[in-house]
Amino acid sequence: MMGNLVVKGSVAMVISILIFANSVMAFNPHSRHDFFNRNSEKKAERMVEHLSDELDLDSVQVSTLNQIKEELTAKQKELKVDRQQIFETMIAEIAKEKFDVSKFQVMVDNHAAKTKLETAFFAKKLIEFHQMLSPVQRETAVEKVKEMKQRREDRKNGWFYKTPEERADSIVNMISNRLDLSETQFADFTKIKNNFLKSRAKYFGDGYFLRLSDQFSEQFVRDTLNKDEIQHEMNEGISRMEKLMNVVLTNLEKAHHTLNNEQRAQIVEQMQKRQGRFSRK
């Protein structure tokens, strides 16, 4: 959902990772764009190279940034979600007559609690990154974040941009076609879709990320950063994602109840094929 970062916007990416690496991205274990996914070390190296160029870092700053990168990568590995466990649990539960949402609730609760305990570490790394920069470099970093923010807004006017509602409609239609949903089932899935969109708007539709970007810009140009403010922002992001994940789990349970045994078996078969491809990579 929220780990869609690319090396192209490296300054903004590093700052985003420093703030949210142990929160938002941690809850998106299957994202294709997850920074701490496969080849994360190579991506991190490329990111340091881009940062060095864009902020014109000297040799001491590059050395410091490399140390921060190593420590962040190591810490993120500690927080890494066990994808295999989630996948296997999901397959097992879908195959059952009754979906036990509590098994996933425990995973979400445990990970959120662990992640919140680690926010002090990530806040410390952001402060170290900030302290090593000159005032001019901080201004440049803020400009890069503003540019990324503007690009995100500009994409909304692109030909291929889809609103969350349009993407959700496409997913429901795809499910309907592949599982041959009845009219009643389609209506049930439409209710589930609307419930998710309503919750998404509640937790992330109030300009939260835009506000966070503005707060960061205001804070980052200061001579010093406030660790408590950073931790508060990180924990708020974790809490919001945790609440949205609880909605997702409830919707999964409702969707499972709506489907018949044959349809559930189709999903399990497709998931097992995907699991086989994933394990071979």
Side-chain angles (χ1 to χ4, degrees):
M1 294 175 188
M2 299 158 53
N4 190 13
L5 303 172
V6 292
V7 172
K8 183 177 179 181
S10 57
V11 173
M13 185 199 303
V14 167
I15 293 164
S16 298
I17 289 173
L18 284 165
I19 295 175
F20 280 108
N22 66 330
S23 55
V24 176
M25 294 168 66
F27 284 101
N28 192 17
H30 292 293
S31 171
R32 292 183 299 113
H33 305 289
D34 186 334
F35 176 80
F36 292 100
N37 203 331
R38 302 179 188 87
N39 300 318
S40 61
E41 290 79 7
K42 291 183 179 180
K43 292 180 181 180
E45 290 173 3
R46 291 171 59 193
M47 208 163 53
V48 169
E49 292 175 1
H50 280 272
L51 269 172
S52 300
D53 293 337
E54 292 175 4
L55 296 182
D56 193 22
L57 301 182
D58 61 32
S59 58
V60 175
Q61 289 175 318
V62 172
S63 177
T64 301
L65 182 59
N66 271 308
Q67 182 61 34
I68 292 174
K69 175 205 69 177
E70 294 296 331
E71 293 175 4
L72 279 173
T73 302
K75 182 61 66 174
Q76 184 63 27
K77 287 179 179 179
E78 291 180 21
L79 295 171
K80 188 176 181 180
V81 175
D82 188 340
R83 297 188 180 99
Q84 191 67 23
Q85 179 190 12
I86 294 175
F87 212 76
E88 291 176 356
T89 303
M90 183 66 73
I91 291 176
E93 290 304 314
I94 291 176
K96 294 179 180 178
E97 189 68 28
K98 181 175 174 58
F99 189 89
D100 187 0
V101 71
S102 65
K103 292 184 178 180
F104 298 95
Q105 186 65 63
V106 170
M107 294 181 192
V108 171
D109 291 345
N110 288 345
H111 194 74
K114 179 181 178 182
T115 304
K116 287 180 179 179
L117 291 175
E118 299 292 343
T119 55
F121 175 82
F122 289 90
K124 178 182 177 183
K125 295 298 110 180
L126 179 59
I127 291 173
E128 288 180 13
F129 177 68
H130 174 270
Q131 288 177 338
M132 81 173 194
L133 299 177
S134 69
V136 173
Q137 289 170 325
R138 292 170 190 164
E139 290 281 359
T140 301
V142 168
E143 287 303 313
K144 293 296 181 181
V145 171
K146 290 181 179 179
E147 289 174 9
M148 182 186 72
K149 176 182 175 182
Q150 188 58 52
R151 286 197 299 270
R152 293 170 73 92
E153 289 300 304
D154 291 343
R155 280 199 292 269
K156 293 181 180 180
N157 298 319
W159 287 5
F160 302 105
Y161 174 77
K162 288 187 177 182
T163 65
E165 291 76 15
E166 290 172 334
R167 291 196 296 270
D169 285 339
S170 297
I171 292 173
V172 171
N173 288 330
M174 178 194 68
I175 293 173
S176 179
N177 292 332
R178 293 188 178 183
L179 297 181
D180 193 20
L181 299 182
S182 66
E183 290 186 8
T184 300
Q185 288 176 319
F186 187 84
D188 288 340
F189 268 84
T190 299
K191 290 179 181 178
I192 292 172
K193 175 202 70 175
N194 291 337
N195 175 258
F196 173 77
L197 289 173
K198 181 179 178 180
S199 299
R200 183 183 184 277
K202 177 180 179 181
Y203 298 120
F204 293 107
D206 58 353
Y208 171 69
F209 290 110
L210 294 178
R211 188 174 73 251
L212 186 69
S213 176
D214 290 339
Q215 289 176 350
F216 164 79
S217 298
E218 187 274 329
Q219 292 177 19
F220 206 74
V221 293
R222 300 176 186 171
D223 291 333
T224 59
L225 292 181
N226 187 304
K227 183 178 179 180
D228 292 336
E229 287 182 2
I230 296 171
Q231 285 187 250
H232 174 75
E233 290 165 2
M234 294 173 72
N235 285 333
E236 181 183 356
I238 297 168
S239 296
R240 285 172 179 252
M241 184 58 70
E242 185 180 12
K243 291 174 182 177
L244 186 59
M245 285 302 300
N246 288 335
V247 174
V248 171
L249 292 178
T250 300
N251 285 341
L252 279 173
E253 185 178 26
K254 292 178 180 178
H256 180 273
H257 179 73
T258 298
L259 300 175
N260 59 42
N261 290 335
E262 182 179 348
Q263 291 166 327
R264 294 170 192 157
Q266 284 182 254
I267 295 175
V268 169
E269 180 181 2
Q270 291 302 313
M271 290 184 70
Q272 288 173 333
K273 288 180 180 179
R274 181 183 176 188
Q275 183 183 31
R277 291 195 298 270
F278 182 80
S279 63
R280 287 196 296 272
K281 293 181 180 180

